[in-house]
Amino acid sequence: MAREKKRRSHGRRSPLAAAALIGIGLVLSGGIYAGASAAVAATSQPTAAETSLTAEDGEKLFQANCATCHGLDLQGTDDGPSLYGVGALAVEFQVSTGRMPMAAQGPQADQKPVQFTEEQILAMAEYVQSVAPGPDFPSDHVLDGEGDLARGAELFRINCAMCHNVAAAGGALTQGKWAPDIQDTSALHIYAAMVTGPQNMPVFNNMNLTPEDKRDIISALLYQQEQQAPGGFTIGSLGPVAEGLFVWIFGIGGLVAITVWITAKSN
């Protein structure tokens, strides 16, 4: 009897051994499954070059989302202007800032969440450029931000500040229109705005502002974007009008309040 108990005790497995075997099995099966999934994904998923959209894809996107207003032939309708001559740059600017497609007709197309991927936007831009050529993307040199900052700031004050404000904070125009805040605008979109003249903005061709002039303006604005306010309240960076209004309301208002309080106390 004692020998039988001893034999049984030697043959009994530890609970930890069973748990270890289960854990090893799970790890092995998980590793095999992960490896098989990765192999399948590597063979079935297309590469970046294979997924890049073409002008033909851009045409389909345009017809589905833009042709209602701009026409299937890009010549415009009663609800939207002709796109002949706008080129790829204008399409990229308008669509990648969410201005197009417009949600509703109004005095001006405002920025809103973008509805397309970058790849789709470039495909539509390529399509429009192939049908109605116009301004195309600039060289990296124009957008590098390494131009003459002082000259660029002076050119901006002369040509742009009357609408966008010297601090690039934007401003109101007539008939419900406005010049947008460009304090966070990218170099490409600053260039595109100068070249394509969106909304109420005039077109600055190379006769008005040379490519180097544009480079200097872009450099000055990019530099200004990186600078922090030296101190105090920026008050929207709207200049002396906002500052004077603030002083008038709170400064003089505070003096009047103190005068009334002193008079009341003396009486």
Side-chain angles (χ1 to χ4, degrees):
M1 192 71 176
R3 288 180 180 179
E4 185 178 352
K5 287 184 178 179
K6 188 174 182 181
R7 198 177 289 121
R8 286 180 180 175
S9 64
H10 282 297
R12 188 179 299 162
R13 293 180 178 177
S14 169
L16 295 177
L21 286 173
I22 294 172
I24 292 171
L26 290 173
V27 170
L28 289 175
S29 60
I32 293 170
Y33 176 79
S37 300
V40 171
T43 56
S44 63
Q45 287 189 357
T47 63
E50 292 172 341
T51 57
S52 60
L53 300 180
T54 63
E56 288 74 18
D57 299 310
E59 180 180 7
K60 296 175 183 177
L61 287 166
F62 179 90
Q63 291 173 348
N65 298 277
C66 314
T68 303
C69 294
H70 296 289
L72 289 171
D73 54 3
L74 280 69
Q75 292 185 357
T77 68
D78 293 338
D79 297 320
S82 168
L83 297 184
Y84 271 79
V86 302
L89 193 60
V91 175
E92 196 282 335
F93 174 87
Q94 296 287 354
V95 181
S96 66
T97 58
R99 290 180 168 90
M100 293 292 161
M102 287 183 71
Q105 293 291 338
Q108 185 166 322
D110 196 7
Q111 295 190 59
K112 60 182 185 300
V114 183
Q115 300 183 31
F116 303 94
T117 66
E118 181 181 1
E119 193 177 35
Q120 292 173 325
I121 293 169
L122 293 177
M124 285 189 283
E126 183 180 354
Y127 165 66
V128 172
Q129 183 74 2
S130 67
V131 177
D136 209 342
F137 296 95
S139 66
D140 293 338
H141 172 76
V142 177
L143 308 179
D144 63 6
E146 300 296 328
D148 188 326
L149 301 181
R151 184 169 177 272
E154 181 181 2
L155 289 170
F156 180 83
R157 287 193 298 270
I158 294 172
N159 296 279
C160 318
M162 68 285 294
C163 294
H164 290 285
N165 182 284
V166 291
L173 302 175
T174 59
Q175 300 178 345
K177 301 173 183 179
W178 66 92
D181 171 2
I182 53 175
Q183 292 174 321
D184 298 317
T185 304
S186 68
L188 175 61
H189 288 166
I190 295 171
Y191 177 86
M194 287 190 283
V195 172
T196 65
Q199 309 295 335
N200 303 286
M201 185 165 173
V203 174
F204 292 97
N205 58 35
N206 290 341
M207 297 293 291
N208 305 120
L209 293 172
T210 67
E212 282 302 314
D213 292 338
K214 295 181 177 73
R215 180 181 183 232
D216 292 342
I217 292 174
I218 291 169
S219 300
L221 289 173
L222 293 180
Y223 176 81
Q224 184 170 310
Q225 290 175 6
E226 296 171 356
Q227 302 308 303
Q228 297 182 348
F233 298 107
T234 59
I235 319 177
S237 298
L238 295 177
V241 174
E243 295 168 0
L245 184 63
F246 181 87
V247 171
W248 178 265
I249 293 175
F250 294 98
I252 297 180
L255 291 174
V256 171
I258 292 172
T259 303
V260 171
W261 179 78
I262 293 174
T263 303
K265 292 291 288 184
S266 62
N267 292 334

